Amino acid sequence: YNQISAENEDDKISSIACSSVVTENKESVYSADEVALFNQMKQELNAVSETNEEAYAWIYVPDTKVNYPICQSGADDYFYLRHSGIDKSWVASGAIYTESCNTTTFEDRVTLVYGHNGYSDSMFTSLHKFEDSEFFNDNSHEYFYIYTKSGKCLKYQVISAFKYDDRHIMNSFDFQNNTIFESFIEMIKNPSSANKNVRTDLDKEVTIDDSIAVLSTCITNQKSNRYLVCGVLVENEKTN
């Protein structure tokens, strides 16, 4: 049943995908392929927004199955654990979502994005591909992308991917404290985990002035652990 429900959710995504793209901004910091990607994400998010007003962004991770709306419930942080991001219907595989401790701007110092593991290869299950060092170090897997309803095109460089404990990160760290945030940055740059991959040749030095997105999912048969893919915002361009 879980596999079927997950596949049905992916079918919903496929059925709303639009093929048209808007005119490329010639002065964009992004490549032509990236501009086309963001235009596609914009079309898909606009379509989903017609059936779910709480879908506020779209996330795409190259060569994974992660190509989904990001939602945030205005009433219940756990709603999207078991509800569709497309139409809010009940579905075992849930949706990709953030909690109310984060804004929907991706301007927070750290934004936690959650998704289920283990429902076929849907939601965040395929983030586990980053456990493979060859996959992690491939140049085509260096970045992931988020498009927001406000028109922001965000590009994140993957800093690290690693096994972590199941603490609620946003409740466990006071990221408004510069020292604590700096320590968190150092932790994700050099995690104390046997299951980790780390990128050392980053486009920029990560500082307390940066924004971090953490993609979090479960690990099969390890209830007290999570798998995190951590990225730093390296490009932020608003559409016309």
Side-chain angles (χ1 to χ4, degrees):
Y1 176 80
N2 289 346
Q3 181 171 347
I4 292 172
S5 66
E7 289 173 351
N8 287 345
E9 193 67 4
D10 284 344
D11 287 343
K12 291 179 187 176
I13 297 283
S14 299
S15 68
I16 62 168
C18 304
S19 58
S20 59
V21 295
V22 297
T23 304
E24 177 184 346
N25 176 4
K26 298 300 182 182
E27 299 180 356
S28 173
V29 298
Y30 295 115
S31 69
D33 285 345
E34 288 173 327
V35 169
L37 170 65
F38 279 120
N39 286 332
Q40 183 68 23
M41 294 165 76
K42 176 182 180 180
Q43 297 283 340
E44 291 173 333
L45 179 59
N46 286 345
V48 169
S49 296
E50 294 181 6
T51 53
N52 184 2
E53 76 286 355
E54 292 183 329
Y56 72 91
W58 195 277
I59 183 169
Y60 174 74
V61 182
D63 292 329
T64 73
K65 294 289 187 177
V66 179
N67 188 24
Y68 293 108
I70 302 175
C71 304
Q72 184 168 300
S73 171
D76 179 4
D77 275 342
Y78 302 111
F79 181 80
Y80 288 105
L81 275 171
R82 296 293 182 219
H83 288 85
S84 166
I86 307 303
D87 57 14
K88 295 187 176 181
S89 61
W90 191 95
V91 61
S93 54
I96 306 304
Y97 69 97
T98 56
E99 295 182 344
S100 57
C101 50
N102 276 124
T103 67
T104 57
T105 64
F106 287 93
E107 294 175 1
D108 300 345
R109 282 180 158 181
V110 177
T111 300
L112 255 290
V113 186
Y114 299 94
H116 275 304
N117 166 70
Y119 290 84
S120 184
D121 57 358
S122 71
M123 299 302 134
F124 272 178
T125 303
S126 57
L127 288 182
H128 287 282
K129 284 188 171 186
F130 284 98
E131 294 186 49
D132 181 343
S133 60
E134 200 169 308
F135 182 93
F136 181 94
N137 291 311
D138 190 307
N139 289 339
S140 61
H141 306 143
E142 192 171 351
Y143 303 99
F144 63 85
Y145 302 88
I146 293 174
Y147 177 82
T148 72
K149 192 181 284 188
S150 63
K152 287 190 288 189
C153 303
L154 308 177
K155 179 178 180 179
Y156 291 83
Q157 186 174 32
V158 177
I159 302 170
S160 58
F162 58 96
K163 177 180 172 181
Y164 196 56
D165 58 41
D166 65 346
R167 77 184 75 183
H168 190 291
I169 290 175
M170 298 305 297
N171 290 343
S172 300
F173 298 92
D174 176 11
F175 291 120
Q176 297 310 306
N177 182 303
N178 289 344
T179 301
I180 292 174
F181 184 39
E182 194 167 27
S183 296
F184 182 80
I185 290 170
E186 290 306 310
M187 185 275 289
I188 64 174
K189 286 168 62 178
N190 186 26
S192 57
S193 171
N195 179 355
K196 67 178 177 181
N197 281 305
V198 177
R199 178 164 284 104
T200 55
D201 54 336
L202 295 171
D203 293 349
K204 62 187 297 183
E205 180 184 355
V206 186
T207 73
I208 59 172
D209 295 321
D210 286 307
S211 295
I212 305 294
V214 178
L215 314 182
S216 175
T217 194
C218 295
I219 301 175
T220 302
N221 298 323
Q222 296 185 35
K223 291 185 177 180
S224 60
N225 293 108
R226 297 292 181 267
Y227 189 71
L228 308 181
V229 176
C230 304
V232 59
L233 182 64
V234 292
E235 297 290 355
N236 177 2
E237 183 171 283
K238 189 156 186 173
T239 54
N240 294 332

